[in-house]
């Protein structure tokens, strides 16, 4: 009698251990229903998309920040405007500070041609106003390029936890239906389905957390770059409108 009673806890422990083994990701994949697959695929796409933009933005922002001072100082240290423009034209295509300066130089040349030809452009807009307009458009364009992917990161960060929660709620709902139909509420019957459902919430959080952190980091980094854009644009406006750079005290 003693040995028979002691074997039941052991058997229960073995049954519980086997039940816990069924709570893995592999078991989850093999028991997906259509909605479960949709939730899983959406989270996978979100995760890969967010990591793509995280890596792409990190590389792009790093290159912009590393070249910013060199491009700006190189422009002001050149002996002539033509030499500075040639150096700007040699910069990589994605370098924003050189594009802002080139747009300002192009606006000056266009306004001079209009004034020399007696066009109405020179009458309607002064040289300073025309340069200011070109600089505003250039800064807005380059700022918009820096924001590429941030909307997706914000969307993933805000929606992925809820998508994962949808998978969890749906999984628990189906688990309860199966338990009710079978009449078996043992640990072996409950642990697998409930554990699988909870994995979806964890997957949603793992997808969302990097996106939220990256979104906040890139927002902060972009604000610093925007400030450099504005400062450089003001100096360019003064230089091309007056012929001399106004030094800040």
């Amino acid at each position: 009698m003693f040995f028979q009673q002691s074997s039941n806890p052991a058997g229960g422990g073995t049954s519980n251990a086997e039940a816990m083994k069924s709570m893995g990701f592999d078991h989850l994949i093999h028991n997906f229903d259509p909605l479960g697959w949709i939730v899983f695929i959406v989270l996978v796409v979100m995760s890969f998309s967010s990591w793509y933009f995280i890596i792409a933005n990190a590389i792009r922002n790093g290159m912009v920040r590393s070249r910013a001072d060199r491009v700006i100082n190189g422009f002001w240290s050149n002996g002539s405007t033509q030499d500075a423009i040639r150096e700007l034209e040699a910069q990589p295509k994605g370098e924003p500070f050189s594009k802002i300066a080139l747009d300002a130089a192009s606006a000056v040349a266009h306004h001079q041609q209009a004034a020399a030809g007696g066009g109405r452009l020179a009458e309607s807009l002064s040289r300073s106003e025309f340069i200011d307009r070109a600089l505003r458009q250039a800064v807005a364009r380059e700022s918009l390029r820096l924001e590429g992917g941030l909307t997706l990161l914000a969307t993933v960060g805000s929606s992925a936890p809820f998508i994962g929660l949808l998978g969890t709620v749906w999984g628990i709902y189906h688990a309860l239906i199966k338990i009710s139909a079978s009449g078996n509420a043992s640990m072996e019957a409950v642990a697998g389905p409930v554990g699988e459902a909870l994995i979806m919430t964890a997957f949603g959080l793992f997808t969302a957390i990097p996106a939220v952190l990256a979104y906040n980091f890139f927002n902060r980094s972009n604000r610093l770059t925007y400030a450099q854009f504005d400062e450089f644009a003001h100096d360019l406006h003064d230089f091309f409108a007056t012929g001399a750079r106004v030094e800040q005290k």
Side-chain angles (χ1 to χ4, degrees):
M1 187 67 175
F2 173 80
F3 292 105
Q4 183 177 358
Q5 290 177 347
S6 63
S7 64
N8 288 335
T14 302
S15 178
N16 291 344
E18 291 296 328
M20 298 303 289
K21 290 180 181 179
S22 67
M23 295 175 64
F25 187 76
D26 182 67
H27 195 266
L28 170 67
I29 293 293
H30 288 89
N31 289 275
F32 269 148
D33 61 356
L35 181 60
W37 274 112
I38 292 173
V39 170
F40 178 73
I41 291 173
V42 168
L43 289 176
V44 169
V45 172
M46 281 185 165
S47 181
F48 276 101
S49 300
S50 63
W51 275 109
Y52 169 80
F53 282 109
I54 288 171
I55 295 172
N57 283 358
I59 294 173
R60 180 181 59 195
N61 285 19
M63 293 175 63
V64 170
R65 297 294 297 276
S66 65
R67 289 195 178 112
D69 291 337
R70 185 165 66 249
V71 172
I72 294 172
N73 294 332
F75 178 81
W76 297 121
S77 62
N78 267 292
S80 67
T81 303
Q82 294 301 322
D83 291 338
I85 291 175
R86 280 193 292 269
E87 184 173 336
L88 292 174
E89 291 174 343
Q91 294 295 325
K93 184 178 180 180
E95 204 293 308
F97 291 92
S98 60
K99 300 301 177 289
I100 293 173
L102 287 173
D103 280 7
S106 176
V108 171
H110 187 70
H111 191 273
Q112 287 177 344
Q113 291 177 355
R120 301 180 61 181
L121 173 63
E123 298 177 1
S124 59
L125 289 175
S126 67
R127 175 172 174 155
S128 176
E129 291 171 335
F130 197 69
I131 296 171
D132 180 71
R133 178 182 176 183
L135 285 170
R136 288 179 183 275
Q137 292 176 341
V139 168
R141 182 191 66 236
E142 299 303 326
S143 298
L144 187 61
R145 287 179 179 174
L146 282 180
E147 295 177 1
L150 292 187
T151 301
L152 183 137
L153 291 178
T155 302
V156 171
S158 61
S159 62
F162 296 102
I163 295 175
L165 184 60
L166 172 63
T168 295
V169 171
W170 187 256
I172 292 177
Y173 170 71
H174 273 276
L176 293 176
I177 291 179
K178 290 180 181 178
I179 292 169
S180 176
S182 64
N184 182 12
S186 64
M187 176 64 74
E188 186 176 359
V190 174
V194 173
E196 295 163 9
L198 292 175
I199 289 175
M200 297 300 289
T201 296
F203 191 19
L205 292 174
F206 286 140
T207 301
I209 290 173
V212 171
L213 295 177
Y215 175 80
N216 291 331
F217 174 80
F218 291 133
N219 260 340
R220 170 63 178 169
S221 177
N222 286 351
R223 282 198 297 269
L224 297 176
T225 305
Y226 298 157
Q228 285 186 296
F229 283 170
D230 289 337
E231 182 180 359
F232 188 44
H234 284 302
D235 289 342
L236 288 172
H237 177 269
D238 295 338
F239 175 75
F240 284 112
T242 65
R245 183 187 181 189
V246 179
E247 296 290 344
Q248 300 294 328
K249 296 182 179 181

